[in-house]
Amino acid sequence: YEFKSRYYAEIEKAYKLKDHGLVLSLHNKTEKKTISTGEGIKIVCPDGSQIVSKVKGIVFKSGDILIGTDFSKEDFPTGSIVLLTSA
């Protein structure tokens, strides 16, 4: 089962939102690409490791994304890349 991925943004910072999950603060977003709640994402870290998740929420003013509570901010170093995935 292969996933097609396309670049969306780079992670500038990650921070925990108590009882809700982890917010990924993004920069260098691709213009004219939108992201939706429930959409699949793949994060590629600078060391080459990859994490697959889904968007749990969106901070409308900034476009930052909320993902689940199973992660810590240390899982997403600055410079990690967010890819949108589709089957």
Side-chain angles (χ1 to χ4, degrees), residues 3-7 42 83-86:
F3 287 98
K4 294 179 183 175
S5 303
R6 62 190 191 280
Y7 177 87
K42 178 170 37 174
L83 303 172
L84 303 180
T85 60
S86 59

Side-chain angles (χ1 to χ4, degrees), residues 17-87:
L17 189 59
K18 189 176 179 182
D19 300 327
H20 294 285
L22 196 69
V23 174
L24 303 179
S25 179
L26 306 174
H27 69 117
N28 294 335
K29 289 182 210 138
T30 302
E31 292 182 36
K32 300 180 184 174
K33 297 258 189 237
T34 58
I35 195 165
S36 304
T37 302
E39 187 158 1
I41 57 171
K42 178 170 37 174
I43 292 107
V44 181
C45 300
D47 68 2
S49 61
Q50 299 181 6
I51 299 169
V52 175
S53 188
K54 287 192 181 288
V55 176
K56 186 176 173 185
I58 301 165
V59 181
F60 286 105
K61 192 169 190 172
S62 65
D64 295 344
I65 57 175
L66 176 70
I67 61 172
T69 57
D70 336 353
F71 305 103
S72 72
K73 62 183 183 177
E74 290 77 20
D75 292 331
F76 304 99
T78 298
S80 296
I81 295 174
V82 178
L83 303 172
L84 303 180
T85 60
S86 59

Side-chain angles (χ1 to χ4, degrees), residues 2-13:
E2 186 99 8
F3 287 98
K4 294 179 183 175
S5 303
R6 62 190 191 280
Y7 177 87
Y8 180 68
E10 210 173 294
I11 296 175
E12 184 171 21
K13 183 179 175 184

